[in-house]
Amino acid sequence: MFEASIHDFVKQAGEDCLHPVPSLFEADAFKPLQIVVKKNRRFFWQSPKYQTQDFSLEEIIIGQEKLTDVPVTKDIFVEKYSKKSKVSLSGKFGAKIKAVFEVDLSGSDYVHVESNFGDVEKEVADAQKLLEVMKSKKLNLDHSLVKQTRLKHRKVLCVVVGIARTTQDCVITLDTEKKASEEIDIDKDSKEVQSKCLPSKSTKSDSTTPKIVVKVAEEVGSLIEKKLEVVDINESGSVDDQKDKSFTVKAGTPLAFEVYELMVKSDGSIEIMFDPDTPGGFWSSAKDSTDGTTAVIHALSHFHHHLGKHHGTLTDLSLYRTFAPIIDLKSDQREKFTKTVLHICETPVAVDNFVTLLKQAYHSVKSGERKYSDIAGLKKTLGSDDSSWTGLLEYAGFNLKSDNSVVFPITITDNIQALRAVFEALREMEDDTTQAIAKCTRNLSKALLNLFQQGLDGKEMKLKDSQISQIYADSSAGQELAYELGFTIKSHDTVCPPAHKQQLKGAYRAVYALWGTKEESD
C-alpha cells in the first residue's frame, strides 16, 4: 500500500525531479546532505535504483568538516494531498499487497488505495551555498564507500538535496472491488467520457476528432454504481466484512527525495551536477591514476546515461543486434513467440516474475551450479497456472523434460539475452500500459514505432498524418496505448508527446522486439 501511494504521489508532484523512497522501512534513511548510490541499470532504458547509505556528505570528504554553511529550509510543498488510486491485483503493487496481507483477494480485480497525506513539506538544502562550500572540499578517495563505488562503472555517488515528508500522522486505506464484468453490463458506446487526450465535450465533433474506447473500470468511474467488498485484516489475520483496511504513516515520514549526482575527479575534487540531464561519476584516466592500476573511467556512466537520454532511434541504439534472435525467427515461430509474450502482458505481475526467473538463470550460469526446478515450481514462481510460457523457456535454453523436471540453462546465449531485454523493457511500464500493449497487433506496429519515435524526439504530430490517424482510429488498441503513455491532443488536430518518457522508451523497445524488422533499423 505504501509503495503504491508514494508512486502516485511522485507522479502527481513531479517525477522529473523526485524519486519515491524505496520502502517505508528505508524512508528514514533519507535526509538532506545524505549520500545515496545511484545504480544505473544494465539496460539503458531502465530507471536507475537508489541505494541508501549510512554516510552523509561531510563524512566522506577529507577532514570530515561539518557543512554548517549550507542552510536547509522547510516549506509546504503540497497542501492537503489526498488521492484514491485503483491498483490491479495482477500488477506489481497488487502482488505486494496480497503478499503483505496474506489473505485471499482472488475475488477482486482491483484494490482501491486511498492516501490522505495532508500537507506535505519539502526540506531543501540551499544549492548555491552547497556549490560554494564544495569548491574547497575534496572527496576522501580512501573512504570505503568511495572505493567500493568507484569499482562499479554503473554506480554513481549522489547527495540528497531535498526531501518531501509528511507533516502529520496520515492514513492509507485499502478496499477491494469485484470484477466489473460480474457486476454490470454497460454499452461503452453509449457513454461519453472526457479523456485527458480529448477535447472537451462541448466541442463539436468532426471527422478529425478521435474517439477513445475507454476502459470501464478506469474511465467510466463514477458513472457506474459499483458493488464493493470491503475487508479489514486485524492483527490475528481475521477478516471483518464491515470495515476496510488502513494503517497510519507517522508524521515526518519521507515520501520522496531529490538528488544531485557528483562528478569526482582524479584528485578528489567534486563537481555537483545540478542539471538532471548531466550525469556524475568518477573521472580519471590511466595516465593520472595514482595507484598504478587501470583507472576506473566513468565515461561509461556518461555513455549509459546518454543512451537513455538520447532520442532512442533504432539506428542509434542498434536494437537489431539486441533483438536479432527474435526478429530472425521464422514467421510462424515469431508469431507464436509474440502471442505468448502478449498473453503474459495481460497479467503484469507475471512480467516481473519472468524477469526474476531469467535473473536466476543468469546467476545459475555465473555460479557454475546447475539449477533445477519442475513445472509446478515454475508455475508458482511465475504466478500462473497457464503453461503457455514453456515455449519461451525452451527458447531461452531451459530443458523441459518429459517427467516435468526443468533444468536451467548452462550458458548465456543470445536468445536468453534477447528474451530478458524484452521483459526488462516491459517491466519499465505501468501495469495499465503493459496491458494496453497486450491488445496491440502487428498491423499497428509500424504506426506505433513512428509515434513513439516522434514522442521521444519531443515533436508534435498532426492527426491527419496517415500513421497517426491509424492509431487514433475508432476502436484502435493503439490509442489506448498512446493514452497510457501520456500522449495528449490539443486543438483537435495536434498530438503532443508525453512529458515523461521513461515508459515510452520501454514501449518503443518492446514493440520493436515483438513486431519490428531489420529493415526498420537500417
Side-chain angles (χ1 to χ4, degrees):
M1 287 168 61
F2 180 74
E3 286 88 348
S5 296
I6 61 174
H7 177 79
D8 271 351
F9 172 79
V10 168
K11 287 181 68 176
Q12 294 286 322
E15 61 183 342
D16 52 337
C17 60
L18 288 176
H19 310 284
V21 299
S23 66
L24 185 59
F25 176 76
E26 297 176 82
D28 288 335
F30 291 90
K31 52 182 69 73
L33 303 187
Q34 193 75 10
I35 290 294
V36 299
V37 173
K38 174 186 177 183
K39 183 179 180 181
N40 291 308
R41 305 282 290 280
R42 181 178 301 275
F43 298 102
F44 43 76
W45 59 86
Q46 296 175 298
S47 299
K49 286 187 175 181
Y50 291 89
Q51 302 166 327
T52 58
Q53 305 298 322
D54 295 329
F55 305 101
S56 64
L57 179 59
E58 61 189 21
E59 290 176 306
I60 65 170
I61 58 177
I62 293 176
Q64 297 191 2
E65 301 176 36
K66 296 290 184 181
L67 302 179
T68 54
D69 292 337
V70 181
V72 176
T73 59
K74 296 181 181 180
D75 199 2
I76 295 299
F77 179 52
V78 178
E79 293 184 351
K80 299 178 181 179
Y81 179 87
S82 181
K83 179 76 161 50
K84 191 168 186 177
S85 307
K86 180 176 289 186
V87 180
S88 169
L89 285 178
S90 63
K92 303 165 190 174
F93 295 123
K96 292 180 180 180
I97 288 172
K98 289 195 291 185
V100 170
F101 289 161
E102 296 180 349
V103 69
D104 182 13
L105 296 173
S106 59
S108 302
D109 268 347
Y110 298 94
V111 289
H112 284 161
V113 178
E114 185 170 1
S115 311
N116 294 296
F117 291 146
D119 291 343
V120 177
E121 70 176 8
K122 194 173 183 183
E123 191 175 1
V124 183
D126 188 292
Q128 186 60 41
K129 286 291 185 182
L130 180 61
L131 178 62
E132 293 175 4
V133 168
M134 294 311 296
K135 281 182 178 179
S136 60
K137 309 295 182 186
K138 288 189 176 182
L139 203 66
N140 180 4
L141 298 178
D142 291 325
H143 192 283
S144 57
L145 174 63
V146 177
K147 291 170 70 175
Q148 292 170 19
T149 306
R150 195 178 183 187
L151 291 174
K152 303 292 185 180
H153 73 267
R154 295 206 308 272
K155 290 188 175 182
V156 179
L157 290 173
C158 304
V159 59
V160 177
V161 292
I163 298 292
R165 65 172 84 243
T166 58
T167 58
Q168 68 265 339
D169 289 355
C170 48
V171 177
I172 301 177
T173 306
L174 168 81
D175 62 48
T176 64
E177 175 187 333
K178 280 187 176 295
K179 293 182 179 181
S181 60
E182 296 176 358
E183 303 297 337
I184 56 174
D185 182 15
I186 181 169
D187 177 8
K188 288 186 278 188
D189 290 335
S190 67
K191 302 293 183 182
E192 291 187 22
V193 181
Q194 182 176 345
S195 163
K196 67 178 180 180
C197 62
L198 285 176
S200 64
K201 292 183 197 177
S202 60
T203 303
K204 185 177 180 180
S205 177
D206 57 46
S207 60
T208 63
T209 303
K211 296 179 181 179
I212 298 293
V213 179
V214 297
K215 291 177 290 183
V216 173
E218 293 185 3
E219 301 299 329
V220 177
S222 61
L223 297 178
I224 304 172
E225 181 180 354
K226 301 185 181 80
K227 295 181 181 179
L228 297 180
E229 178 187 4
V230 181
V231 300
D232 176 61
I233 306 164
N234 61 31
E235 292 181 359
S236 65
S238 62
V239 177
D240 182 349
D241 290 336
Q242 303 306 312
K243 299 178 181 179
D244 53 13
K245 174 64 182 176
S246 63
F247 72 88
T248 301
V249 177
K250 296 296 184 181
T253 299
L255 305 176
F257 61 97
E258 182 179 359
V259 298
Y260 292 150
E261 297 186 25
L262 303 181
M263 174 58 72
V264 184
K265 299 182 180 179
S266 57
D267 63 351
S269 57
I270 305 167
E271 187 175 351
I272 298 175
M273 317 310 287
F274 294 107
D275 183 355
D277 287 335
T278 306
F282 291 83
W283 189 262
S284 61
S285 66
K287 183 178 180 179
D288 64 8
S289 177
T290 57
D291 59 6
T293 62
T294 301
V296 179
I297 303 176
H298 270 203
L300 285 175
S301 176
H302 286 259
F303 177 70
H304 276 275
H305 173 85
H306 285 296
L307 281 176
K309 176 192 171 188
H310 201 321
H311 302 320
T313 63
L314 294 170
T315 304
D316 290 341
L317 300 181
S318 303
L319 288 190
Y320 173 70
R321 289 198 295 272
T322 299
F323 296 117
I326 298 170
I327 293 171
D328 292 343
L329 288 171
K330 293 180 180 179
S331 58
D332 58 334
Q333 293 175 324
R334 190 176 184 193
E335 184 178 352
K336 184 176 180 181
F337 178 96
T338 298
K339 183 178 180 180
T340 303
V341 172
L342 294 178
H343 180 65
I344 292 172
C345 288
E346 293 173 3
T347 309
V349 69
V351 172
D352 257 12
N353 294 340
F354 220 95
V355 171
T356 300
L357 180 64
L358 294 175
K359 284 184 177 179
Q360 291 174 354
Y362 268 68
H363 294 320
S364 173
V365 173
K366 289 182 179 179
S367 67
E369 298 179 4
R370 297 298 299 274
K371 185 174 177 62
Y372 302 87
S373 185
D374 54 45
I375 294 296
L378 291 182
K379 285 181 178 179
K380 185 175 181 180
T381 299
L382 296 175
S384 172
D385 289 332
D386 191 335
S387 298
S388 63
W389 37 258
T390 55
L392 294 183
L393 296 186
E394 290 177 324
Y395 171 83
F398 288 76
N399 186 2
L400 279 61
K401 297 190 173 182
S402 57
D403 61 356
N404 285 331
S405 63
V406 179
V407 182
F408 276 55
I410 58 175
T411 58
I412 300 299
T413 63
D414 290 343
N415 282 9
I416 192 172
Q417 293 192 79
L419 185 63
R420 182 174 174 180
V422 172
F423 280 97
E424 291 277 12
L426 291 168
R427 194 186 197 188
E428 287 303 299
M429 293 179 285
E430 303 284 347
D431 295 339
D432 290 341
T433 312
T434 307
Q435 291 173 322
I437 277 191
K439 301 174 185 177
C440 293
T441 58
R442 176 182 294 277
N443 68 328
L444 278 174
S445 61
K446 184 170 291 188
L448 287 172
L449 288 173
N450 174 63
L451 175 73
F452 297 167
Q453 184 61 69
Q454 303 299 322
L456 288 168
D457 287 338
K459 296 179 180 178
E460 294 185 350
M461 296 147 277
K462 293 298 183 181
L463 274 172
K464 62 183 180 181
D465 178 275
S466 59
Q467 289 191 329
I468 302 301
S469 63
Q470 181 184 358
I471 292 171
Y472 284 91
D474 292 353
S475 305
S476 170
Q479 63 184 340
E480 182 179 345
L481 178 56
Y483 172 85
E484 297 296 347
L485 289 169
F487 286 92
T488 56
I489 294 177
K490 72 174 184 180
S491 303
H492 315 315
D493 64 350
T494 303
V495 179
C496 299
H500 308 292
K501 298 183 174 62
Q502 190 61 42
Q503 278 202 99
L504 185 55
K505 294 172 185 175
Y508 188 99
R509 288 154 182 84
V511 170
Y512 175 72
L514 296 175
W515 293 292
T517 64
K518 181 179 179 180
E519 289 70 26
E520 287 172 310
S521 67
D522 293 336

